[in-house]
Amino acid sequence: MSQDPATQDPGTPAVSSSADDAVQIPEAAGTVTSPSADRIKNPWREHGHDGRVPYITPDLIGRTVEIGTQPFDRRSTMLLREFQQNSEIKHDLYPRFLNSGRVFSVLIDGYKVTCTEILGYGRFGLVFKASIADSSLQVAMKFMFKENRKVRGNSAEFKKARKLPQKLFDSGRIIYYLALCDMAPYINSQAELIIMELAENGDLFDSIVVSSQGTQRPLVYTANHARRLTIMVIEAMATLREHGYLHRDLKAENLLFNKFGQMVLGDIGNIKDLEGGTTFREVGTKSRTCMFFCDVLTRRLTLCVWCPTLRR
Amino acid sequence: MTVLGSENTMAPEVTGYYENKMPQGLYDCEKSDIWSIACIHFQLRTCLGVLDSHVLKTSINDFNEATGS
């Protein structure tokens, strides 16, 4: 049985979990049978243009949000409370339907999408498990709150999803985006919606830290299982590299498993294309760079003024 | 500040910019992705994040640079 991470000695070999504790490793490791586009019947596909992710303009978004009476389940309520505690969003800007903690529906381009469960939260918003009415399609809908961002305009993930070619999503290695909605009008809040493929088997991080009987119990993979999963990660990254992109935010939380047991990459907000063939990217603060050079320049000028030998 | 990736899976060359507030520079995204893959493998085998300061006492100075020889 695995130990608590706070007490586990990293120097000792990891103890493998028993067979009962083992998370089901997808058998289809490394084999992508069919692209995501064939697996998912996208109701918004007809609005797409240039073979990219369909973009639904704000005027097509329904202005009504229905608040249901059925509350979220216990896990969702806990996640919501945790998100509210950590969120930088002010209370008056926080959407009322999230504070109510109830099931709600959003009318998007004639399709009623009902959010029933919170799958997770990030720095800028929440991800709900949702179902499309008159369809058996289950999707994940990400609400990105604009009030929580310092940069105006769309989020990085939203912009990247609009620019990325459809063939990248069709590769089956990156989470399939069904539609993008620029703005969801709600009382005091504005959120952009990213509707994407639902990863039914959760993410890799959840498979490591398994919630059991109210306690967080870590699960150590055996060497073979860890190797197989790592190979899946490498293959997913290789596919992304073949299409000319690098992920740049690779972590266990962003590695998801779909219902076929295939690993897909999520959170493409930091993805980078390899235009020009360079893999290098700037990092750091521009303003500090400018201040640094200004400081050097000022010192140099000062020396030139006071030191005649440097004027030459 | 351009923050890239997550702290636990961030490559050492990026961590310097993240923690020490170094001025702007260049880093190789491909190599940092490979570092992240190794971090995930480490996490799978130990349930611990690499360089997780809350749990581990190791630092980047404890790693030896691979020479490839």
Side-chain angles (χ1 to χ4, degrees), chain A residues 179-193:
Chain A
L180 303 168
C181 304
D182 197 3
M183 190 184 301
Y186 199 72
I187 301 172
N188 287 326
S189 177
Q190 292 177 346
E192 62 186 30
L193 306 181

Side-chain angles (χ1 to χ4, degrees), chain A residues 134-174:
Chain A
D134 303 327
S135 170
S136 59
L137 187 61
Q138 299 263 333
V139 296
M141 192 152 69
K142 182 181 282 188
F143 283 71
M144 306 279 277
F145 301 116
K146 297 196 172 185
E147 290 79 8
N148 205 21
R149 292 201 302 268
K150 296 176 181 176
V151 182
R152 290 185 178 181
N154 294 120
S155 63
E157 185 176 2
F158 196 94
K159 292 176 184 174
K160 297 283 174 61
R162 290 197 68 184
K163 290 180 180 177
L164 289 178
Q166 189 68 37
K167 64 177 182 180
L168 186 63
F169 297 108
D170 292 345
S171 67
R173 290 299 194 186
I174 194 166

Side-chain angles (χ1 to χ4, degrees), chain A residues 7 39 67 95 108 121 125 132 137 163 180 188 296:
Chain A
T7 59
R39 296 199 302 256
I67 309 294
I108 302 173
Y121 65 91
I132 301 175
L137 187 61
K163 290 180 180 177
L180 303 168
N188 287 326
V296 171

Side-chain angles (χ1 to χ4, degrees), chain A residues 112-274:
Chain A
K112 183 180 177 183
V113 184
T114 305
C115 299
T116 55
E117 184 184 340
I118 298 175
L119 295 175
Y121 65 91
R123 190 177 174 188
F124 300 124
L126 285 161
V127 183
F128 287 92
K129 181 181 180 181
S131 60
I132 301 175
D134 303 327
S135 170
S136 59
L137 187 61
Q138 299 263 333
V139 296
M141 192 152 69
K142 182 181 282 188
F143 283 71
M144 306 279 277
F145 301 116
K146 297 196 172 185
E147 290 79 8
N148 205 21
R149 292 201 302 268
K150 296 176 181 176
V151 182
R152 290 185 178 181
N154 294 120
S155 63
E157 185 176 2
F158 196 94
K159 292 176 184 174
K160 297 283 174 61
R162 290 197 68 184
K163 290 180 180 177
L164 289 178
Q166 189 68 37
K167 64 177 182 180
L168 186 63
F169 297 108
D170 292 345
S171 67
R173 290 299 194 186
I174 194 166
I175 200 86
Y176 183 74
Y177 284 71
L178 280 84
L180 303 168
C181 304
D182 197 3
M183 190 184 301
Y186 199 72
I187 301 172
N188 287 326
S189 177
Q190 292 177 346
E192 62 186 30
L193 306 181
I194 301 174
I195 305 169
M196 50 191 164
E197 171 190 5
L198 177 66
E200 284 87 352
N201 287 329
D203 58 26
L204 187 59
F205 185 80
D206 281 343
S207 71
I208 297 171
V209 182
V210 180
S211 177
S212 173
Q213 297 176 351
T215 59
Q216 295 292 314
R217 183 165 54 91
L219 192 68
V220 179
Y221 280 92
T222 62
N224 285 334
H225 286 175
R227 193 180 303 121
R228 285 175 58 188
L229 284 169
T230 307
I231 289 172
M232 292 171 71
V233 178
I234 293 171
E235 286 180 346
M237 295 298 294
T239 308
L240 205 63
R241 180 70 169 80
E242 286 174 4
H243 286 82
Y245 291 94
L246 293 171
H247 194 271
R248 297 205 303 161
D249 193 11
L250 200 60
K251 56 182 176 180
E253 292 90 332
N254 290 339
L255 295 167
L256 311 165
F257 294 104
N258 60 15
K259 61 183 176 183
F260 298 100
Q262 296 165 348
M263 183 179 283
V264 288
L265 294 167
D267 195 1
I268 58 169
N270 285 325
I271 205 168
K272 180 193 182 298
D273 57 355
L274 294 173

Side-chain angles (χ1 to χ4, degrees), chain A residues 282-301:
Chain A
E282 296 87 2
V283 65
T285 310
K286 284 184 179 178
S287 59
R288 286 182 62 87
T289 309
C290 294
M291 287 172 63
F292 171 76
F293 281 116
C294 287
D295 191 24
V296 171
L297 193 62
T298 308
R299 287 183 186 178
R300 186 76 180 172
L301 287 173

